[in-house]
């Protein structure tokens, strides 16, 4: 069972999402929270696998709550939910450790699948978010993105896989691009995350752009 906590300041949203997820045989809604501070407290008490985190909430916003909860490898996966695909917090939420991003008006089936994808350790980024991430780094001078020593630990093939991850390619698409088995790609991805001490693919995308490994327009 995937344990889910719902954090949103609107009671109707919490109830609606809760009913939707509770109807799934593999999902268990362990609690909800009306603000970020309550979400942090509930998460530490209930140990959810995934938190649906609204961005704009009172007391403590979803960004700060994400920072406090997503710091370690054993922490819950954060799926950021918002009404706006160009929300000012989107990029910072990803940097804070969010594993995925989804619009609140996405189809119900997409929300259910998003929880499963994030729980499995994959990254879920809406296309508009990926474009925003690229635009953010495209606006920065190249000198602001030093190449870290950690990249030297990657093999040439792992570096190539990281570049493809940063461009939003799935494991299946990367396997097709490199003409290798999908399981081989999964192995490369796992080694990349371990060597660079990254939680998941979302952090890998941010890392690749921040370090200049991938540049907008490539």
């Amino acid at each position: 069972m995937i344990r889910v906590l719902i954090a949103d300041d609107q009671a109707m949203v919490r109830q609606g999402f809760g009913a939707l997820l509770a109807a799934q045989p593999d999902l268990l809604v362990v609690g909800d929270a009306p603000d970020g501070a309550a979400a942090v407290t509930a998460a530490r008490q209930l140990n959810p696998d995934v938190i649906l985190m609204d961005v704009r909430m009172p007391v403590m916003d979803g960004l700060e709550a994400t920072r406090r909860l997503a710091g370690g490898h054993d922490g819950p996966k954060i799926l950021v939910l918002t009404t706006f695909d160009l929300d000012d917090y989107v990029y910072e939420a990803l940097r804070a450790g969010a594993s995925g991003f989804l619009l609140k008006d996405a189809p119900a089936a997409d929300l259910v699948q998003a929880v499963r994808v994030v729980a499995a350790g994959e990254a879920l980024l809406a296309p508009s978010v990926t474009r925003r991430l690229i635009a953010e780094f495209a606006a920065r001078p190249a000198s602001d993105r030093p190449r870290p020593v950690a990249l030297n630990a990657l093999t040439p093939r792992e570096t190539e896989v990281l570049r493809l991850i940063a461009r939003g390619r799935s494991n299946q698409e990367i396997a097709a691009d490199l003409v290798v088995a999908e399981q081989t790609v999964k192995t490369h991805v796992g080694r990349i995350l371990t060597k660079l001490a990254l939680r998941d693919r979302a952090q890998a995308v941010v890392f690749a752009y921040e370090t200049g490994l991938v540049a907008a327009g490539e």
Side-chain angles (χ1 to χ4, degrees):
M1 296 290 287
I2 299 171
R3 298 167 58 83
V4 183
L5 174 69
I6 302 170
D8 195 288
D9 62 341
Q10 298 182 44
M12 291 184 64
V13 172
R14 297 196 304 273
Q15 293 167 7
F17 286 165
L20 171 66
L21 298 178
Q24 308 303 312
D26 58 335
L27 304 181
L28 176 65
V29 178
V30 295
D32 60 41
D35 58 68
V40 171
T41 299
R44 290 171 178 168
Q45 293 173 344
L46 301 172
N47 296 314
D49 300 305
V50 176
I51 300 177
L52 299 186
M53 185 77 76
D54 188 21
V55 173
R56 298 179 178 180
M57 294 185 289
V59 184
M60 179 189 295
D61 63 34
L63 174 59
E64 180 60 27
T66 296
R67 284 198 190 99
R68 297 192 184 193
L69 292 170
H73 286 274
D74 296 329
K77 303 296 176 60
I78 311 294
L79 178 57
V80 174
L81 295 166
T82 184
T83 307
F84 310 100
D85 62 345
L86 292 182
D87 195 296
D88 289 339
Y89 284 137
V90 167
Y91 170 68
E92 287 301 327
L94 292 173
R95 291 197 67 186
S99 297
F101 174 93
L102 197 67
L103 297 180
K104 285 185 179 179
D105 61 1
D110 287 359
L111 174 59
V112 172
Q113 181 61 15
V115 171
R116 292 173 178 149
V117 168
V118 169
E122 298 289 338
L124 186 83
L125 300 180
S128 59
V129 178
T130 303
R131 288 194 296 270
R132 183 179 178 82
L133 186 64
I134 293 172
E136 174 75 22
F137 287 108
R140 296 184 179 187
S143 59
D144 289 348
R145 292 171 259 164
R147 182 183 178 91
V149 176
L151 279 175
N152 296 333
L154 301 183
T155 66
R157 177 47 63 92
E158 288 167 352
T159 302
E160 188 175 12
V161 170
L162 178 56
R163 286 195 177 99
L164 291 172
I165 291 173
R167 294 182 183 122
R169 308 288 281 176
S170 67
N171 284 353
Q172 186 176 15
E173 291 170 334
I174 294 173
D177 289 343
L178 302 181
V179 195
V180 298
E182 188 172 347
Q183 184 57 49
T184 300
V185 175
K186 290 181 180 179
T187 299
H188 286 316
V189 172
R191 288 174 179 168
I192 290 167
L193 298 180
T194 298
K195 288 181 179 181
L196 300 180
L198 302 173
R199 278 173 56 91
D200 51 33
R201 295 170 78 101
Q203 285 200 339
V205 172
V206 173
F207 179 90
Y209 280 103
E210 282 190 323
T211 58
L213 180 66
V214 174
E218 285 189 352

